[in-house]
Amino acid sequence: MRISLDRAEGSLGQTMRSVLVLAIILGSVPICFFRPYIGALMWIWVAYFNPHRFTWGFAYDFPVSMVIAIPTLLGILFFRKLNRRIFVRETVMLMVFWIWITITYFNATQVPLFADHIEDAQLRLIAVSKILLMTFVLILVVTSKKKLEILFVLTALCFGALAIKGTLFGIRTDGSFRIWGPPDSFVYDNNDLGLALNMSLTMMYYMARETTSRRMQQLLRVCFFSSVVAVILTYSRGALLGLIVVLGAISIRSNRKLLAGALLIACAFLVLTFAPPAWMERMGDFAHGELDESAQGRLHAWQFAWELAMHYPITGVCFETFTPELEARFTPQFSFAGPHSIYFQTLGEQGFVGLGIFVLVLGGSFYSLWRLRRRARGQPSFAWITNYSLMLETSLLGYVISGSFLPRAYFDLWFQLAAATALLHILYDRERSHQIAEPAPSPAGAELSEVPVG
């Protein structure tokens, strides 16, 4: 009888959770239509936090992203307060990348050898196109510094909540198990979760300094330290390397470099002292430069991608090419699971041209952020441009480092960082043009001297 009651209570709790999530999603539909910016924020919340994946009920497979995206897109057609001049370097390169991956897909449909993975490639193209479409929506609707700040804070809190949940789980289990993201999400895998946390760490750090709310500052700091712990508990070696680089970059750019360096050393000491045996065993070979089966698989996957690019240098083999069938044809002596690198993934799937475009988007973003800081130098009213550019630059650094060992060339958060870079460019140009257009104040007494006497 007791077991039946527990099951009934559990079922009721799952149903109530599903009802709550769907009530929020469906209730936001008219708001998304009349306020597309709110719709874009809702899409970010759904894409990153995945609230429906915590329901285990009828809301689990509900198309929440589509329910949010459709009214948001329709609302944009009638909304006037949009960014008009959006075609800066990053938006143009993202558009070129979108066009190129579409070209490589249609090219692959004409090659009989690729028939075994073309259906999966189509699904991937649709998914990436949806992400890019909503990325351009962000560029259109984020029309002010305040809206951009809210976007960064929301992103930080989404991943911060996952980090807090993972850290609490790690404390309860003494860190003996890996932590994972929400099931059936783009951060479900431990490696992907570590990558996303590395990329959002700087948002937690910088936005805690930018926001004026004391409670929000404290919450973001809790998210920051929880994310550091959570990255370690993912047991991802690529994420650990990215974490070292990101924390090092934050320390170097900190106003208190000595204190930050001391904290890093103390953190490393605590990790090495109290890390569970399973974590130490996994990191041991990595620290000594020895290659286990997983690392060998990465090298084999990278050689396979190179072989594909040599045979199809222009267009590559399109999405989802790392299949057993193509592996047996091009590198039968190797075995691996997935591309294990954003660069080799792009090379094998999109060819040298696609890899070149991808690197140009990355490099162009770094260059734009550096150039924006130079342009804003010496202008107190644009100090936020400097802070945000440093934040985005460090987030991108986490992506290019951790992503070197992970197959996430089409990562949602990476596209948002490129969009945020474009937004910084757009907002700075607009504010600067307004300042130039404003007439300079007249010297004291100038108006009186213009009044005729007598």
Side-chain angles (χ1 to χ4, degrees):
M1 187 66 177
R2 177 63 181 175
I3 295 176
S4 299
L5 288 175
D6 288 343
R7 288 178 177 174
E9 290 174 359
S11 178
L12 178 61
Q14 293 176 11
T15 301
M16 292 303 295
R17 192 180 299 183
S18 296
V19 169
L20 177 61
V21 170
L22 288 187
I24 295 173
I25 297 298
L26 296 177
S28 69
V29 169
I31 302 175
C32 295
F33 178 78
F34 291 106
R35 293 290 185 270
Y37 171 69
I38 302 298
L41 294 182
M42 286 292 296
W43 181 80
I44 288 291
W45 177 60
V46 167
Y48 294 167
F49 186 65
N50 293 272
H52 54 301
R53 300 306 188 195
F54 293 99
T55 60
W56 300 292
F58 54 85
Y60 186 91
D61 293 316
F62 193 80
V64 291
S65 297
M66 183 176 68
V67 171
I68 294 298
I70 290 177
T72 302
L73 292 170
L74 291 175
I76 285 178
L77 300 177
F78 304 96
F79 199 66
R80 294 184 178 181
K81 296 181 180 180
L82 300 174
N83 289 320
R84 302 298 178 183
R85 299 179 180 180
I86 67 169
F87 291 104
V88 295
R89 180 184 294 105
E90 294 72 36
T91 52
V92 171
M93 292 308 302
L94 279 177
M95 183 66 72
V96 170
F97 185 69
W98 192 357
I99 293 171
W100 182 253
I101 62 178
T102 305
I103 291 173
T104 61
Y105 165 74
F106 283 108
N107 175 74
T109 61
Q110 307 303 312
V111 182
L113 178 62
F114 306 154
D116 66 292
H117 71 275
I118 206 65
E119 185 176 347
D120 292 334
Q122 181 183 31
L123 294 176
R124 174 64 69 176
L125 175 63
I126 292 172
V128 175
S129 295
K130 290 178 180 177
I131 294 170
L132 285 168
L133 177 61
M134 294 307 293
T135 299
F136 278 94
V137 167
L138 281 176
I139 298 174
L140 285 170
V141 300
V142 179
T143 56
S144 67
K145 172 184 177 293
K146 185 63 178 178
K147 289 183 176 180
L148 187 60
E149 177 184 338
I150 294 173
L151 173 63
F152 289 146
V153 170
L154 176 62
T155 302
L157 292 179
C158 285
F159 290 114
L162 297 178
I164 292 172
K165 179 177 179 293
T167 299
L168 292 175
F169 171 79
I171 293 173
R172 289 199 307 268
T173 59
D174 296 325
S176 300
F177 301 96
R178 302 180 191 184
I179 64 172
W180 306 76
D184 297 315
S185 71
F186 82 102
V187 291
Y188 170 64
D189 184 79
N190 64 312
N191 296 293
D192 298 337
L193 179 60
L195 173 62
L197 292 177
N198 277 335
M199 295 169 68
S200 57
L201 262 176
T202 51
M203 294 187 190
M204 302 168 194
Y205 176 80
Y206 279 94
M207 297 317 299
R209 298 169 57 186
E210 289 288 317
T211 184
T212 56
S213 170
R214 185 170 181 81
R215 289 185 178 180
M216 184 58 69
Q217 289 175 356
Q218 293 172 343
L219 178 57
L220 288 170
R221 289 187 182 116
V222 170
C223 290
F224 177 84
F225 289 109
S226 296
S227 295
V228 173
V229 176
V231 170
I232 296 171
L233 292 178
T234 62
Y235 281 60
S236 171
R237 291 170 292 193
L240 179 63
L241 182 59
L243 176 65
I244 294 171
V245 172
V246 168
L247 291 180
I250 291 176
S251 300
I252 291 172
R253 291 167 170 172
S254 172
N255 293 329
R256 301 176 179 177
K257 295 181 176 58
L258 291 178
L259 178 60
L263 288 175
L264 277 179
I265 295 173
C267 179
F269 174 77
L270 291 173
V271 168
L272 294 177
T273 303
F274 297 103
W279 190 89
M280 292 298 295
E281 181 180 354
R282 179 162 177 79
M283 300 301 164
D285 292 340
F286 178 66
H288 292 91
E290 300 175 7
L291 299 179
D292 59 8
E293 183 178 351
S294 176
Q296 289 285 0
R298 280 180 167 81
L299 297 179
H300 295 163
W302 297 348
Q303 185 163 347
F304 171 74
W306 181 261
E307 290 294 331
L308 287 181
M310 289 294 98
H311 284 82
Y312 304 95
I314 305 298
T315 59
V317 193
C318 191
F319 299 103
E320 306 296 331
T321 61
F322 290 77
T323 63
E325 292 79 9
L326 291 178
E327 170 195 335
R329 181 179 182 88
F330 291 98
T331 55
Q333 71 277 25
F334 295 142
S335 62
F336 52 86
H340 293 296
S341 170
I342 56 176
Y343 309 110
F344 285 98
Q345 179 184 14
T346 309
L347 177 63
E349 294 183 348
Q350 310 301 335
F352 284 102
V353 175
L355 177 61
I357 298 171
F358 178 74
V359 172
L360 281 175
V361 180
L362 270 174
S365 298
F366 278 111
Y367 175 74
S368 290
L369 294 170
W370 171 79
R371 190 164 179 268
L372 277 170
R373 283 201 301 278
R374 287 182 60 88
R375 293 173 65 187
R377 184 181 300 169
Q379 303 179 63
S381 60
F382 288 112
W384 62 277
I385 289 286
T386 299
N387 293 334
Y388 284 0
S389 66
L390 288 172
M391 177 184 73
L392 292 174
E393 192 174 85
T394 311
S395 294
L396 285 170
L397 189 61
Y399 178 65
V400 300
I401 298 299
S402 292
S404 299
F405 307 97
L406 300 173
R408 289 297 173 262
Y410 319 108
F411 210 47
D412 301 40
L413 186 53
W414 141 235
F415 290 131
Q416 183 190 324
L417 294 180
T421 302
L423 283 168
L424 273 191
H425 195 160
I426 293 167
L427 295 177
Y428 174 81
D429 286 345
R430 179 189 302 161
E431 292 297 322
R432 186 61 180 157
S433 63
H434 286 170
Q435 287 185 0
I436 295 175
E438 289 178 357
S442 301
E447 294 182 2
L448 294 176
S449 64
E450 294 176 359
V451 178
V453 178

